Amino acid sequence: MARIAFIVANDFEDAEFRVPYDEVKKAGHEAVIIGVEAGRQLKGKKGKEVITAEKSVKDVREEDFAALVIPGGYSPDHLRMEIPMVGFVRDFFKADKPIASICHGPWMLVEADIADGRTVTSFPSIKTDLINAGARWVDREVVEDGGLITSRKPDDLKAFCAALLRQVSQGIAARLESPLAPKATSDQQPSVHH
Amino acid sequence: MARIAFIVANDFEDAEFRVPYDEVKKAGHEAVIIGVEAGRQLKGKKGKEVITAEKSVKDVREEDFAALVIPGGYSPDHLRMEIPMVGFVRDFFKADKPIASICHGPWMLVEADIADGRTVTSFPSIKTDLINAGARWVDREVVEDGGLITSRKPDDLKAFCAALLRQVSQGIAARLESPLAPKATSDQQPSVHH
């Protein structure tokens, strides 16, 4: 049984919180919702989920958790402006623990400056931000490069949760020293118009 | 009298469309709402504004306009995935015409790869994305570096509109070859936690 941190702010993508949260608990782990302030209500962007932050990021430490989950939607646009949140993400990276981020979640990898040299995926709108941060971007339902687990959208949640749960029980994946072969030659274009 | 293009998708910041749109018309210019599809209804993220795209970006050309306005909110997160929109922005840049973008609007400067070497401001959440795209980021209500006019948030709209209308009537500003002196030493930190 492991304790897994979920960092969330308003406008999170509802299913991208709900599905991993339920899967983590179903697998027998503990899931903790961490916000900027404990006790604050947080609303999903689709209006399906209203959750409450159990802990403030100021009152938790990476040492207390086995893995980190970053749901997408516009929650990461809020979280990336919070210095303790960015530091919390960076701490999991330094500790070689799984960081599972989906959709717009990988913005936090940009902000924590931990995407450089890594292979990732994301919602396509932030592809250029990830490439400009030094990442190699590919279009796959899930990418695991060491402890960095990334997916694109709610449709990818099954593969995303499976990767997270496997890394929690079996340790982080191997580094993709030799990057994933792109699915199409367009995978690494720095931006669409070049 | 000039014709000024507004590029908009859903989830635009209501005032960041409405205020410049009304100011442009009050100054005697023509304002045209351009979306991905003509006739599509577009909703502001605060639910105050519902507008209709008058033209599809596929049916307009930069040559027909004197300046471009990019309202913020999450509209630019949608627009940046549309190749014709990104190309339209780039065309104004190539033609040395004013591009006024506020809040999250400068994401389109990142996507069009025209922020490199420029001094800009934005909503603080996208500061790192702009710096990673090669821009110099400062915390000011409005920054004019050649034709690139940038502001941070709805509170800055007065200065933003004044800069836009001045550039439309008097031509684009001088390049900031010697960048603006930062207001604080923290202005150019690549990310908050370093």
Side-chain angles (χ1 to χ4, degrees), chain B residues 106-107 109-110 115 120-122 126-135 137:
Chain B
W107 261 332
L109 311 183
V110 172
V120 299
T121 193
S122 71
I126 68 167
K127 167 184 173 175
T128 301
D129 299 333
L130 282 157
I131 292 172
N132 286 346
W137 194 93

Side-chain angles (χ1 to χ4, degrees), chain B residues 2-185:
Chain B
R3 185 181 291 125
I4 297 173
F6 286 71
I7 53 170
V8 192
N10 273 321
D11 308 317
F12 63 90
E13 207 291 329
D14 304 64
E16 290 170 1
F17 163 76
R18 176 54 60 193
V19 176
Y21 185 81
D22 288 351
E23 288 294 315
V24 156
K25 299 225 278 194
K26 209 158 68 181
H29 302 303
E30 185 183 348
V32 182
I33 304 172
I34 297 166
V36 174
E37 270 181 40
R40 196 189 282 181
Q41 247 190 16
L42 304 170
K43 292 180 185 169
K45 63 179 273 212
K46 290 182 177 158
K48 290 181 191 165
E49 298 281 347
V50 180
I51 61 178
T52 302
E54 296 166 77
K55 296 274 186 189
S56 160
V57 67
K58 288 169 200 146
D59 299 327
V60 293
R61 303 177 313 160
E62 163 273 312
E63 288 92 329
D64 301 329
F65 299 93
L68 175 68
V69 179
I70 313 172
Y74 293 118
S75 163
D77 187 60
H78 306 307
L79 294 177
R80 69 191 302 202
M81 291 184 287
E82 303 290 336
I83 293 173
M85 281 290 181
V86 175
F88 191 56
V89 173
R90 203 168 161 83
D91 287 344
F92 281 83
F93 181 79
K94 285 187 188 158
D96 269 334
K97 289 180 182 176
I99 300 174
S101 63
I102 181 165
C103 195
H104 291 74
W107 261 332
M108 290 302 279
L109 311 183
V110 172
E111 202 62 41
D113 200 13
I114 59 177
D116 192 21
R118 297 282 170 148
T119 302
V120 299
T121 193
S122 71
F123 195 66
S125 67
I126 68 167
K127 167 184 173 175
T128 301
D129 299 333
L130 282 157
I131 292 172
N132 286 346
R136 178 179 171 82
W137 194 93
V138 292
D139 184 12
R140 302 222 170 189
E141 65 177 354
V142 66
V143 177
E144 296 175 72
D145 187 348
L148 293 190
I149 302 164
T150 49
S151 285
R152 300 166 304 183
K153 55 184 188 234
D155 288 349
D156 301 335
L157 277 166
K158 193 175 166 185
F160 180 73
C161 293
L164 169 64
L165 291 173
R166 187 178 24 72
Q167 288 209 9
V168 167
S169 61
Q170 297 173 29
I172 63 169
R175 279 296 313 279
L176 292 171
E177 300 292 354
S178 167
L180 284 178
K183 276 184 160 170
T185 53

Side-chain angles (χ1 to χ4, degrees), chain A residues 112-132:
Chain A
D113 199 13
I114 59 178
D116 192 19
R118 297 283 171 146
T119 302
V120 300
T121 193
S122 70
F123 196 67
S125 66
I126 68 168
K127 166 183 175 177
T128 301
D129 299 333
L130 282 156
I131 292 172
N132 285 346

